[in-house]
């Protein structure tokens, strides 16, 4: 089941549990706007290259639409549509005043020079500048993009609309970015994990943790969990996988990964088959890479007691059922990885106010939002006698449905 089909399935199950009217259910599912644009740029060698860019704006009942822009060869409409819808529910679960959006350009950023990436970003911004904005749709970084990409979007957008730092989040600090944003998703994973373990009378200290994906989210989650006494025994990325039964030295591994563009070759652990990372012996498994990695083929072999979904849609619905039967507790992506969009909201607030926060305030507010979010999800689980994923979907869908009805938008 692809990401869009799985997201639609979870939405429909939540809508039925909530008893939503069929017309309202249908209106919540249909995107507000879908945009597809051609982006042609001159390459460094003088030739022309054309790329296709997408922006799906799913819902704005609760506020401006919000979501990342990714540069990846496999960006395609269904995936973008699913991720935009997930952002709607994720923002509602976090209880921040946003709707959902997602965008991207079908390209391989590793095959483009810095100047080509800049030209591509500026052309894409020129094509969508009239449908984004601080109070309309606020892009952010995603796979293959980063603070520099956001700086180019900000500059290009400002040529049309005047200086507007709140048009994007995830910016460089010097252009109005927020302190704490780089670690936000990983720190949110830490707070989410702590909240879940407290339900079972446990703390992170002494828990054996495996992290699949050692990019920004995975590496920050590993660092922060390690600082709290968690024992990170195995990690993987696109270059390979490393295991140490006694616990990896995470600061040293982060330094190695930064200097060598991956974990491969790290001397403080044994190299293992990356495909085995998900079924390694551990207490907590954190998938922090691509979607669909936990499926019906490997779910039965997973040994973790808790799965914290730091990636978007890492678990297929079929795998969900197998894990539930095994008694594995899955903390769903639309809650577990919402630390990033929550601190993006803080950045947007700071830009609008023209008043910047210190990092302690950012982290303190994030902790408060994450703990409140878990409490709200649990209350919904208790109300509808459902597991955490369905509790989170019910929470998000219910908040968006209420806002839709209050604004008089029902079909």
């Amino acid at each position: 089941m692809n990401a869009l089909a799985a997201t639609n399935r979870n939405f429909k199950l939540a809508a039925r549990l909530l008893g939503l009217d069929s017309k309202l259910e249908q209106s919540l599912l249909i995107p507000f706007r879908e945009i597809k644009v051609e982006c042609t740029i001159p390459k460094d060698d003088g030739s022309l290259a054309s790329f296709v860019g997408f922006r799906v704006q799913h819902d704005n009942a609760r506020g401006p639409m919000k979501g990342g822009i990714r540069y990846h060869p496999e960006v395609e409409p269904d995936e973008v549509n699913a991720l935009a819808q997930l952002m709607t529910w994720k923002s509602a679960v976090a209880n921040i005043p946003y709707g959902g959006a997602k965008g991207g350009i079908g390209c391989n950023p590793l095959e483009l020079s810095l100047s080509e990436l800049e030209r591509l970003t500026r052309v894409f911004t020129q094509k969508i500048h009239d449908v984004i904005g601080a109070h309309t749709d606020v892009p952010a970084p995603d796979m293959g993009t980063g603070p520099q990409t956001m700086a180019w979007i900000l500059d290009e957008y400002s040529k049309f609309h005047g200086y507007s730092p709140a048009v994007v989040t995830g910016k460089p600090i010097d252009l109005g970015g927020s302190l704490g944003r780089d670690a936000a998703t990983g720190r949110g994973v830490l707070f989410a994990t702590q909240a879940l373990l407290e339900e079972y009378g446990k703390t992170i200290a002494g828990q054996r943790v495996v992290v699949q994906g050692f990019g920004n989210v995975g590496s920050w989650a590993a660092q922060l969990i390690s600082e709290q006494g968690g024992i990170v025994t195995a990690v993987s990325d696109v270059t390979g996988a490393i295991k140490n039964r006694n616990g990896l030295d995470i600061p040293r591994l982060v330094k190695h990964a930064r200097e060598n563009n991956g974990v491969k070759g790290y001397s403080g652990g044994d190299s293992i088959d990356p495909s085995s990372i998900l079924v390694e012996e551990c207490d907590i498994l954190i998938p922090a890479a691509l979607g669909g990695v936990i499926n019906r083929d490997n779910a039965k072999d997973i040994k973790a007691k808790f799965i914290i979904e730091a990636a978007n849609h890492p678990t297929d619905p079929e795998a969900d059922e197998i894990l539930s039967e095994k008694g594995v507790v899955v903390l769903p992506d639309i809650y577990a990885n919402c630390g990033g969009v929550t601190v993006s909201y803080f950045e947007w607030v700071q830009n609008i106010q023209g008043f910047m926060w210190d990092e302690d305030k950012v982290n303190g507010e994030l902790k408060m939002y994450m703990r409140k979010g878990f409490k709200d999800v649990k209350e919904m689980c208790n109300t509808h006698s459902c597991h955490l994923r369905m509790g989170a979907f019910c929470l998000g869908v219910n908040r968006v449905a209420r806002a839709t009805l209050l604004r008089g938008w029902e079909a």
Side-chain angles (χ1 to χ4, degrees):
M1 191 179 292
N2 67 24
L4 181 59
T7 305
N8 286 347
R9 174 183 180 274
N10 285 326
F11 165 79
K12 287 174 180 175
L13 288 171
R16 288 193 194 108
L17 273 178
L18 294 165
L20 296 189
D21 175 84
S22 60
K23 288 183 179 178
L24 175 59
E25 179 183 331
Q26 188 65 18
S27 71
L28 291 177
L29 204 54
I30 298 170
F32 172 78
R33 181 189 285 133
E34 295 186 46
I35 304 152
K36 183 178 180 181
V37 296
E38 180 190 29
C39 301
T40 301
I41 60 164
K43 297 194 75 177
D44 293 343
D45 63 6
S47 64
L48 292 177
S50 290
F51 304 90
V52 177
F54 301 94
R55 188 71 176 169
V56 175
Q57 298 172 327
H58 179 256
D59 190 276
N60 61 355
R62 300 183 74 252
M65 292 163 285
K66 185 87 185 74
I69 289 177
R70 58 176 51 183
Y71 289 179
H72 192 271
E74 295 176 12
V75 169
E76 52 90 27
D78 271 4
E79 181 192 39
V80 176
N81 208 313
L83 293 170
Q85 188 189 142
L86 273 176
M87 283 302 300
T88 295
W89 317 134
K90 185 184 297 184
S91 298
V93 168
N95 208 17
I96 54 178
Y98 286 144
K102 207 74 174 187
I105 298 176
C107 70
N108 186 344
L110 299 177
E111 294 177 356
L112 297 173
S113 70
L114 190 66
S115 60
E116 288 168 342
L117 284 170
E118 179 178 354
R119 288 195 287 275
L120 181 58
T121 302
R122 290 183 182 276
V123 168
F124 184 51
T125 307
Q126 289 165 16
K127 297 290 180 80
I128 67 168
H129 76 88
D130 55 343
V131 293
I132 64 172
H135 299 288
T136 308
D137 177 5
V138 184
D142 201 298
M143 194 185 303
T145 60
Q148 180 59 71
T149 319
M150 298 304 107
W152 291 329
I153 294 174
L154 163 61
D155 183 68
E156 195 64 28
Y157 180 87
S158 296
K159 291 176 183 177
F160 296 94
H161 303 278
Y163 184 62
S164 309
V167 69
V168 289
T169 59
K171 302 179 294 294
I173 300 296
D174 292 338
L175 288 177
S178 177
L179 295 170
R181 176 63 187 87
D182 188 45
T185 309
R187 193 176 297 278
V189 168
L190 167 71
F191 294 148
T193 305
Q194 288 175 323
L196 176 64
L197 291 177
E198 283 177 15
E199 282 285 307
Y200 294 85
K202 300 175 184 290
T203 64
I204 282 176
Q207 299 291 322
R208 301 175 71 78
V209 182
V210 167
V211 182
Q212 188 230 14
F214 207 65
N216 173 274
V217 178
S219 61
W220 272 113
Q223 285 181 77
L224 295 165
I225 285 170
S226 180
E227 288 171 9
Q228 295 296 316
I231 303 165
V232 181
T233 57
V235 304
S236 71
D237 64 10
V238 292
T239 67
I242 300 292
K243 176 182 178 181
N244 185 326
R245 292 175 62 84
N246 298 318
L248 294 160
D249 182 339
I250 297 300
R252 189 172 149 225
L253 178 57
V254 168
K255 184 172 183 290
H256 170 91
R258 190 181 299 122
E259 292 172 353
N260 297 276
N261 296 314
V263 302
K264 187 178 181 180
Y266 176 65
S267 60
D270 300 320
S271 179
I272 61 171
D273 181 355
S275 64
S276 73
I277 193 83
L278 296 168
V279 297
E280 285 292 327
E281 197 82 46
C282 64
D283 300 306
I284 300 169
L285 172 63
I286 302 177
L290 296 173
V293 294
I294 300 175
N295 50 52
R296 66 181 175 186
D297 297 326
N298 60 15
K300 62 184 181 301
D301 299 319
I302 286 175
K303 301 173 183 69
K305 302 176 187 71
F306 302 97
I307 296 176
I308 315 296
E309 294 187 336
N312 285 319
H313 181 59
T315 311
D316 281 349
E318 292 165 319
D320 247 347
E321 292 176 12
I322 295 168
L323 293 168
S324 179
E325 288 170 7
K326 289 178 60 174
V328 178
V329 178
V330 180
L331 197 59
D333 49 0
I334 62 169
Y335 164 70
N337 69 23
C338 72
V341 71
T342 303
V343 175
S344 280
Y345 164 60
F346 298 162
E347 180 179 333
W348 179 76
V349 167
Q350 292 169 73
N351 293 156
I352 289 171
Q353 290 180 331
F355 182 81
M356 306 309 286
W357 304 353
D358 63 35
E359 193 164 355
D360 286 344
K361 179 174 174 62
V362 172
N363 293 341
E365 291 287 331
L366 175 60
K367 185 173 185 177
M368 183 181 74
Y369 269 78
M370 293 300 297
R371 294 187 74 82
K372 179 67 167 62
F374 184 78
K375 181 172 174 285
D376 292 345
V377 170
K378 282 296 295 182
E379 285 180 1
M380 196 59 81
C381 290
N382 294 335
T383 299
H384 295 286
S385 302
C386 59
H387 54 66
L388 288 165
R389 187 183 310 283
M390 199 45 53
F393 264 88
C394 285
L395 178 64
V397 171
N398 190 47
R399 283 175 171 164
V400 176
R402 282 188 357 227
T404 301
L405 291 171
L406 286 167
R407 295 185 69 166
W409 290 0
E410 68 268 31

